[in-house]
Amino acid sequence: EVQLVESGGGLVQAGGSLRLSCAASGFTFDDYAIGWFRQAPGKEREGVSCISVSDGLTYYADSVKGRFTISSDNAKNTVSLQMNNLRLEDTAVYYCAADNTIIWSSIRNPNAYDYWGQGTQVSVSS
């Protein structure tokens, strides 16, 4: 059974940092793309950052470039998202997702992912 479990969310002041982790199990980690998505109230789910585990290719949304860093620990089947210089607009529920059939042009499309975690809340205060 595929499982994705997010952790690391919380409340932080603007300018602060958080590190999210996604622990994966039930599938061959190296074969998958792992994405971080977020959804704020009243907004659509959007791709934040994604990584192709096998070759390390990464994607970042323009809004997080230079502030967020995605990484994978293949030995631990974990993908992390280091978020620095957080802004009020980063407040959302953050989800990790996985799929092994994605083409790179669809990497930021949430509809392209079959497996999802339960989400973790990130709240940034002024």
Side-chain angles (χ1 to χ4, degrees):
E1 179 187 3
V2 173
Q3 282 196 321
L4 300 169
V5 180
E6 303 99 332
S7 60
L11 175 64
V12 64
Q13 286 190 322
S17 298
L18 284 174
R19 186 176 181 87
L20 305 183
S21 292
C22 174
S25 62
F27 60 92
T28 304
F29 192 65
D30 291 0
D31 293 342
Y32 278 67
I34 308 292
W36 283 101
F37 295 81
R38 66 186 180 188
Q39 189 164 21
K43 295 189 175 181
E44 292 186 352
R45 192 167 297 189
E46 64 170 344
V48 175
S49 182
C50 309
I51 187 167
S52 172
V53 175
S54 61
D55 55 20
L57 286 176
T58 58
Y59 159 82
Y60 294 96
D62 287 343
S63 59
V64 306
K65 280 181 182 176
R67 300 189 297 123
F68 291 11
T69 303
I70 192 169
S71 61
S72 68
D73 184 335
N74 294 13
K76 296 182 178 180
N77 284 12
T78 300
V79 171
S80 297
L81 185 68
Q82 178 66 41
M83 306 187 296
N84 297 329
N85 192 20
L86 283 160
R87 304 170 180 169
L88 297 177
E89 55 265 35
D90 294 318
T91 294
V93 178
Y94 283 69
Y95 300 89
C96 72
D99 203 278
N100 66 344
T101 62
I102 293 178
I103 58 174
W104 193 251
S105 59
S106 298
I107 199 73
R108 63 179 179 179
N109 181 358
N111 295 323
Y113 290 77
D114 281 341
Y115 303 107
W116 290 84
Q118 82 287 352
T120 186
Q121 176 71 45
V122 171
S123 298
V124 184
S125 65
S126 58

